[in-house]
Amino acid sequence: MTTIPRAPLILGLAGLIPFLWGALTYLSPALQAWGAAALGPRFVGPYVQIAYGQIILAFMSGVLWGFATKADDRRAATGYALAVLPALWAFFMTGGGPTGAAINLIFGFLGLLMLDAAFASWGLAPVWWMRLRLLLTAVVTLCLAVGAFL
């Protein structure tokens, strides 16, 4: 595997901030109280993670759609169909309270990782893609697990 380019790595790691912040504010009542007072209650705990997780799954649908545009055979139609799944998952599976939403987001991000692997195996993603996605998915799912299981 090749090295992850600097810009995607830095931006990908920066994209973890809301998930990390949500986990930290879930674990620390004092930090949660400060965050709720300073930023508002939807920007702490599992609430920030759920809202941001929905956005990221939808964003990743767009990324996969972009990968599908590189296919020129029947994989293109399959790629387009698969690309919409993360956004649909986020839309339909994140209601019903913070615990259920967090668990469904964990499954959504793990499913996304499988889609990433499929697009990578078809040669549609950059060669470094899976290194980045494995790192980011591991952190995201651990952060979501804090809100779902602790």
Side-chain angles (χ1 to χ4, degrees):
M1 292 185 140
T2 63
T3 302
I4 301 166
R6 186 177 185 90
L9 179 60
I10 291 170
L11 292 169
L13 294 174
L16 295 174
I17 293 170
F19 291 110
L20 293 164
W21 171 252
L24 289 173
T25 58
Y26 185 84
L27 294 171
S28 170
L31 190 57
Q32 182 173 19
W34 177 86
L39 305 171
R42 65 175 256 211
F43 291 103
V44 295
Y47 306 105
V48 69
Q49 291 181 328
I50 293 164
Y52 189 67
Q54 291 169 320
I55 291 166
I56 294 302
L57 282 179
F59 171 79
M60 291 306 298
S61 277
V63 171
L64 295 178
W65 186 277
F67 290 162
T69 65
K70 295 170 61 176
D72 58 2
D73 53 14
R74 69 183 171 109
R75 283 188 297 183
T78 301
Y80 291 128
L82 292 174
V84 301
L85 293 178
L88 291 173
W89 183 268
F91 182 74
F92 286 111
M93 301 302 292
T94 56
T99 301
I103 291 168
N104 283 334
L105 281 174
I106 290 169
F107 283 114
F109 279 99
L110 293 175
L112 171 61
L113 187 63
M114 293 188 312
L115 293 174
D116 286 322
F119 281 83
S121 73
W122 295 336
L124 302 175
V127 294
W128 47 265
W129 185 251
M130 287 308 296
R131 284 188 76 190
L132 177 64
R133 295 299 305 135
L134 284 166
L135 170 66
L136 299 178
T137 301
V139 175
V140 167
T141 56
L142 286 173
C143 289
L144 288 167
V146 168
F149 302 115
L150 294 183

